[in-house]
Amino acid sequence: MRSLWAGGLVWLMCALPATAASPASRAFWTWEAESYALVEDPAVAEEAIAYLKPRHVDTLYLYADAYQGRNLIVEQPQLYRAFIERMHAQGMKVYALLGSAYLNTENYVLPSHRAQAEAMFRRVVEYNASVPETARFDGANLDIEPHILDAWDEDTREGLLAGFLDMSDALMQIKHAHGATLSVGPAIPFWLDGIELEWKGRRRPVSEHTIDLYDYVALMDYRDKAEGSDSILSHAASEIAYANQVGRKVVIGLEVSPNEIDKVTFDEEGPKVFEQEVAKVERALRKEPSFAGFAIHHYRAWRRWEAREWDPAPAR
């Protein structure tokens, strides 16, 4: 039997009582091919907006760098301008997604690649400075992950993480030097709070160094249950608490893509369990000043996942 969940989340949202609080912000990471299609084809953009709005997805992390020999933000910035204006007209936000497996941007934490990292970010800042406010990126999300480097191991990780922090510092200096107002933050794994590192004379968890540097972090909190040990809430606790102290924001990142490790994704649990667990997280964090909603990995995976046939899942 085809479950109601194959049709998406619309009925759930419509069933909420009128007095319920507005749902927390939801963002989708949107990778190279999908992002280029959205900015190049107005029909694709309109269909996506119509799909996203009933699901209360109000933000896209939209890829904004080179792909397959082209770099549209440099060569055809008017395409980004038109798309962002279309999104803003619908009350939605767009963040520039910077980082790519295609470009092997994990290397950008290395001093030898620092200039590439800075150029990537500067292009977004300069784009924003060249267009009206209605066409500007609302923020940037950096997906630069040193832990996926082949060189990463117990002996090298502190040096690579220091390189990540040095790169982060350089990018934020560019933001401040240009007087840019976009909100900038990286995607970081939840386990950075378990690695202490001396950086600029202070020894602290890497997560705290990172939160201090940026406007927000998107915490890759990839687990398939809200509560208990080894859960979304348990892994986010220290980052939420520290961000509360220093006035930063934390977006909770969740995964729906297939993964051989079942606990890191909702791929097998399906949309009903996903919504049950997200609701638990939202109830627990709603009053935390630093909580800034959810980011879901990723747009195309979500659409494939939601379209599958799902049997009704028991409540957890």
Side-chain angles (χ1 to χ4, degrees), residues 92-114:
M92 304 173 80
K93 296 180 179 180
V94 183
Y95 281 41
L97 176 54
L98 302 174
S100 167
Y102 171 74
L103 296 176
N104 299 120
T105 51
E106 62 273 13
N107 289 305
Y108 287 7
V109 304
L110 304 174
S112 58
H113 290 71
R114 182 69 44 73

Side-chain angles (χ1 to χ4, degrees), residues 7 16 47 118 128 134 160 170 194 209 220 228 241-242 250 278 293 311 316:
L16 290 172
E47 190 276 338
E118 293 182 13
N128 263 19
T134 55
L160 294 172
H209 286 305
M220 293 185 287
Y242 185 72
V250 178
V278 165
D311 293 326
R316 289 189 174 187

Side-chain angles (χ1 to χ4, degrees), residues 22 25 38 51 64 81 93 115 124 181 185 188 197 212 215 240 256:
S22 298
S25 173
L38 287 168
Y51 177 86
R81 176 173 177 168
K93 296 180 179 180
V124 169
T181 58
I188 62 169
L197 179 68
D212 282 342
D215 302 310
I240 289 287
V256 299

Side-chain angles (χ1 to χ4, degrees), residues 131-143:
V131 297
E133 186 174 355
T134 55
R136 292 174 189 160
F137 287 105
D138 300 282
N141 184 257
L142 304 165
D143 189 62

Side-chain angles (χ1 to χ4, degrees), residues 52-254:
L52 296 170
K53 289 199 74 174
R55 290 157 177 83
H56 294 269
V57 176
D58 55 27
T59 304
L60 285 185
Y61 296 165
L62 184 79
Y63 184 71
D65 204 1
Y67 180 55
Q68 294 186 340
R70 298 189 297 159
N71 196 333
L72 294 182
I73 199 166
V74 174
E75 298 157 7
Q76 295 180 276
Q78 72 276 9
L79 297 178
Y80 280 93
R81 176 173 177 168
F83 178 77
I84 294 170
E85 287 178 335
R86 180 176 287 113
M87 289 282 286
H88 285 168
Q90 295 296 322
M92 304 173 80
K93 296 180 179 180
V94 183
Y95 281 41
L97 176 54
L98 302 174
S100 167
Y102 171 74
L103 296 176
N104 299 120
T105 51
E106 62 273 13
N107 289 305
Y108 287 7
V109 304
L110 304 174
S112 58
H113 290 71
R114 182 69 44 73
Q116 290 170 272
E118 293 182 13
M120 170 190 70
F121 182 65
R122 190 176 285 108
R123 285 191 289 269
V124 169
V125 171
E126 291 177 349
Y127 162 84
N128 263 19
S130 72
V131 297
E133 186 174 355
T134 55
R136 292 174 189 160
F137 287 105
D138 300 282
N141 184 257
L142 304 165
D143 189 62
I144 312 294
E145 302 180 35
H147 56 274
I148 67 175
L149 283 163
D150 290 340
W152 175 276
D153 61 29
E154 289 294 315
D155 296 325
T156 63
R157 69 180 189 178
E158 287 195 8
L160 294 172
L161 287 168
F164 169 76
L165 295 173
D166 289 340
M167 178 204 72
S168 299
D169 191 31
L171 300 188
M172 292 304 281
Q173 287 184 37
I174 291 171
K175 172 188 168 173
H176 298 313
H178 283 77
T181 58
L182 76 174
S183 181
V184 182
I188 62 169
F190 65 77
W191 42 259
L192 287 186
D193 57 12
I195 302 175
E196 289 201 348
L197 179 68
E198 184 170 339
W199 185 72
K200 292 196 172 184
R202 301 186 70 187
R203 187 167 188 85
R204 314 174 67 182
V206 176
S207 57
E208 294 186 9
H209 286 305
T210 305
I211 290 168
D212 282 342
L213 280 167
Y214 285 103
D215 302 310
Y216 75 97
V217 295
L219 189 69
M220 293 185 287
D221 199 359
Y222 294 166
R223 288 296 183 265
D224 63 2
K225 63 176 183 177
E227 300 168 322
S229 62
D230 197 18
S231 66
I232 296 166
L233 285 169
S234 68
H235 290 310
S238 65
E239 288 82 1
I240 289 287
Y242 185 72
N244 284 345
Q245 293 176 30
V246 297
R248 303 293 196 273
K249 297 294 184 181
V250 178
V251 177
I252 302 297
L254 302 173

Side-chain angles (χ1 to χ4, degrees), residues 270-298:
K272 184 172 184 178
V273 170
F274 176 90
E275 291 300 330
Q276 290 169 350
E277 299 307 297
V278 165
K280 293 175 188 176
V281 174
E282 189 167 344
R283 284 195 297 270
L285 298 182
R286 185 179 291 131
K287 294 182 180 179
E288 301 290 347
S290 64
F291 174 58
F294 302 94
I296 301 163
H297 189 256
H298 55 91

